[in-house]
Amino acid sequence: MEKLWQVIDFLLAHKFIFSALIIVLILIVRRVTLSKIRGDVAFLSEEQRNWMSRTKNGTFAIIVVTLFVLWKSEISEFALSVTAIAVAIVVASKEIILCFTGSIQRASSRSFRIGDWIEVGKISGEVIEHNLMATVIQEIDLYHGQYHFTGKTATLPNSMFFTYPVKNLNFMKRYVYHDFSIVVNNFVNLYPMIPDLIEKIEAHSEEFIEVARRYNSVIERHAGVDLPGSEPHIHITSGATGEQVMHFMIFCPTEQASHLEQDIRKDFMEAYSLAFPEKENG
């Protein structure tokens, strides 16, 4: 027992060594815990990511609190000595303060959680981790109608939540309003083609249309707004130089959006060839 007290006295007298031992011990426990949570799976589930994030945030908080208690007297003396330059410290640590307050703003507004799809500025992706300083997302390509992961990981400082609006795109994980357009250089009457194209789109949508209608109703009730609906929409506009632009919008499973677009483009080209053979030959 006497040796134990000698060890404790030695560690308290040498706080740098004691602090290093505490940090190493906590990091070892965190690594073992994260390894147990991850297991042998190749892809992490949303629940696993949640527990991993809680473990990382919890161990970070434990380290901060433990070191604060250990160095409390030194911190108090330091705080008194830097009172005169407090303003300079605040200015220098502006970004860090914004990150902390951004984290508080995210937690209080519940704008997103791990597993959600979000868009911040021009960056969009699935949230895989968030902490007091930053939010980590797996980037998703939303601007080319593919809705797939790019393989890039983006770390967003929480201060961005004060600069850019945070868009929660979570409903797009299952179904999406997918819109695209087809440009026709010749100025011809495309309206007679619309009914036939609508029928073909509905034929492509038979396997999921009932689920799509129910999901669309759920989104409308959750958002409290009247959405365009699950039926396909087609409208035609003219370009600045006289070309015709046919716009399509379909409500479909996210993973099928790109494939359905290709099928619809194929249907349009076949219908256009039949309706205007002279344009094709010309």
Side-chain angles (χ1 to χ4, degrees), residues 3 19 35 57 60 99 125 130 156 169 174 182 220 228 261:
K3 291 184 177 180
S19 300
S35 178
N57 291 336
F60 177 75
C99 287
H130 57 71
L156 311 177
L169 312 176
R174 291 188 60 194
I182 298 176
E220 285 184 330
E261 177 182 338

Side-chain angles (χ1 to χ4, degrees), residues 197-252:
L197 288 172
I198 291 288
E199 288 184 9
K200 291 185 177 181
I201 294 173
E202 290 175 345
H204 293 313
S205 308
E206 282 182 349
E207 62 180 37
F208 61 79
I209 189 61
E210 290 301 324
V211 178
R213 286 171 181 158
R214 291 197 297 270
Y215 193 71
N216 183 266
S217 299
V218 169
I219 297 173
E220 285 184 330
R221 288 197 300 271
H222 184 268
V225 295
D226 184 18
L227 297 175
S230 56
E231 296 76 21
H233 298 269
I234 301 176
H235 71 277
I236 300 171
T237 61
S238 298
T241 56
E243 70 274 9
Q244 300 274 64
V245 184
M246 182 172 279
H247 303 270
F248 298 80
M249 186 177 72
I250 56 175
F251 187 68
C252 63

Side-chain angles (χ1 to χ4, degrees), residues 58-229:
T59 52
F60 177 75
I62 291 172
I63 290 174
V64 171
V65 172
T66 304
L67 293 180
F68 177 79
V69 172
L70 182 62
W71 293 88
K72 183 171 63 174
S73 58
E74 287 81 358
I75 292 174
S76 299
E77 293 176 4
F78 176 75
L80 291 173
S81 66
V82 298
T83 302
I85 56 171
V87 175
I89 292 177
V90 170
V91 172
S93 57
K94 174 185 175 183
E95 193 68 23
I96 296 176
I97 295 172
L98 285 175
C99 287
F100 274 108
T101 52
S103 177
I104 295 172
Q105 186 271 341
R106 177 202 60 77
S108 60
S109 65
R110 298 181 181 178
S111 53
F112 62 85
R113 61 180 183 176
I114 289 178
D116 285 358
W117 284 16
I118 65 170
E119 182 179 359
V120 183
K122 293 185 178 181
I123 303 175
S124 54
E126 180 175 331
V127 180
I128 60 174
E129 184 181 346
H130 57 71
N131 51 50
L132 293 176
M133 297 298 295
T135 297
V136 183
I137 64 172
Q138 286 283 358
E139 191 179 50
I140 299 172
D141 182 9
L142 296 182
Y143 295 102
H144 300 93
Q146 300 298 316
Y147 312 104
H148 60 67
F149 292 100
T150 65
K152 301 175 183 177
T153 301
T155 301
L156 311 177
N158 291 337
S159 58
M160 289 183 66
F161 301 152
F162 292 108
T163 308
Y164 302 99
V166 179
K167 300 178 183 179
N168 193 309
L169 312 176
N170 203 38
F171 79 92
M172 293 176 61
K173 291 181 69 173
R174 291 188 60 194
Y175 279 78
V176 65
Y177 285 104
H178 181 64
D179 58 87
F180 61 95
S181 58
I182 298 176
V183 179
V184 179
N185 289 327
N186 300 308
F187 193 88
V188 293
N189 185 9
L190 300 174
Y191 285 95
M193 297 172 57
I194 292 180
D196 183 54
L197 288 172
I198 291 288
E199 288 184 9
K200 291 185 177 181
I201 294 173
E202 290 175 345
H204 293 313
S205 308
E206 282 182 349
E207 62 180 37
F208 61 79
I209 189 61
E210 290 301 324
V211 178
R213 286 171 181 158
R214 291 197 297 270
Y215 193 71
N216 183 266
S217 299
V218 169
I219 297 173
E220 285 184 330
R221 288 197 300 271
H222 184 268
V225 295
D226 184 18
L227 297 175

